[in-house]
Amino acid sequence: MSDRLTIAIDGPAASGKGTLARRLAEHYGLRHLDTGLTYRGVARALMEAGEPLDDEAIAEKAARALDLGSLDRAVLSEHGIGEAASKVAVMPSVRSALVDKQRAFASAPPGAVLDGRDIGTVVCPNADVKLYVIASAEVRATRRWREIMDGGGSADYVQILADIERRDARDMGRKDSPLRPADDAHLLDTSEMDIETAFQAACKLVDARLAARSED
């Protein structure tokens, strides 16, 4: 039996998967990777180097050179970087390069929690536990709006909802690695849950898997 533990968490934007992933990683003593930041990291590298965002060969080179240990969430959360990331994320060679890095991250002991949109289906299809975290678009828009307002910013709820619905359509409809639950993923609907309730529900699933694995 392997001592390594891999937890794959997928779901749409603002579903709470990132917060849940960080909590689980801390609880089980695992490393954490927000795979969305890897695409943002590539986009930022291209922007800083003054390179075009539509040249796949240059973008692939930046993806292969990306240091996963240098990903700064605070810096990479900037809206402009997110917009640029959406352009490079559709490039097959960029996705392939980053998936290689994400798999290498997951395979190193003691294991890891990865969150994104194709972890259970593409990156870690053999993960010990797969969670697919969802919430209604309205609930997710409200969460995002509150997050911005609590941070001292200003936001338009209607615009945020429209952005989330567009993002969902793009993520679920894309040809390469569309957002969908893996066949063996546990569905976790957080629409009526706070983070603590979602965390406890996820822990039960992980603990059950660990108990079953110890009996193998």
Side-chain angles (χ1 to χ4, degrees):
M1 183 188 77
S2 170
D3 290 331
R4 194 175 68 244
L5 175 65
T6 305
I7 302 174
I9 305 181
D10 293 303
S15 59
K17 66 182 183 295
T19 303
L20 181 61
R22 290 190 292 275
R23 286 284 302 272
L24 288 172
E26 181 180 6
H27 181 71
Y28 291 102
L30 304 172
R31 291 165 304 117
H32 168 245
L33 178 63
D34 173 351
T35 60
L37 292 183
T38 64
Y39 294 94
R40 287 173 174 261
V42 171
R44 181 170 183 255
L46 293 173
M47 294 165 72
E48 287 195 330
E51 299 285 7
L53 296 172
D54 57 356
D55 188 315
E56 188 164 352
I58 292 175
E60 180 189 357
K61 187 176 179 182
R64 296 203 178 277
L66 184 69
D67 175 11
L68 299 191
S70 69
L71 302 175
D72 186 330
R73 175 180 302 278
V75 172
L76 296 175
S77 62
E78 184 184 314
H79 180 73
I81 294 177
E83 289 294 306
S86 69
K87 296 176 182 177
V88 300
V90 299
M91 299 174 178
S93 63
V94 171
R95 297 194 71 84
S96 177
L98 291 181
V99 165
D100 286 346
K101 286 181 175 289
Q102 292 159 11
R103 284 176 176 159
F105 183 93
S107 67
V113 182
L114 285 78
D115 69 271
R117 288 173 174 75
D118 61 353
I119 310 304
T121 54
V122 175
V123 180
C124 299
N126 297 317
D128 298 286
V129 179
K130 299 178 187 178
L131 302 176
Y132 190 77
V133 184
I134 63 168
S136 71
E138 291 77 14
V139 166
R140 289 184 283 133
T142 298
R143 288 174 180 167
R144 180 73 40 97
W145 178 82
R146 282 180 178 156
E147 183 181 14
I148 295 171
M149 298 301 285
D150 289 347
S154 60
D156 180 343
Y157 169 82
V158 174
Q159 183 62 49
I160 292 173
L161 177 59
D163 287 345
I164 281 178
E165 290 175 337
R166 275 197 299 273
R167 179 72 176 271
D168 287 352
R170 185 170 72 234
D171 288 342
M172 294 175 187
R174 73 185 178 213
K175 208 170 177 180
D176 189 8
S177 305
L179 171 64
R180 65 175 180 82
D183 293 338
D184 54 348
H186 299 279
L187 185 66
L188 195 61
D189 188 337
T190 67
S191 297
E192 304 294 329
M193 293 182 183
D194 59 19
I195 182 56
E196 187 60 33
T197 305
F199 171 67
Q200 294 298 335
C203 283
K204 284 184 180 179
L205 294 169
V206 175
D207 289 345
R209 175 59 183 143
L210 289 173
R213 200 169 73 168
S214 68
E215 295 172 1
D216 291 344

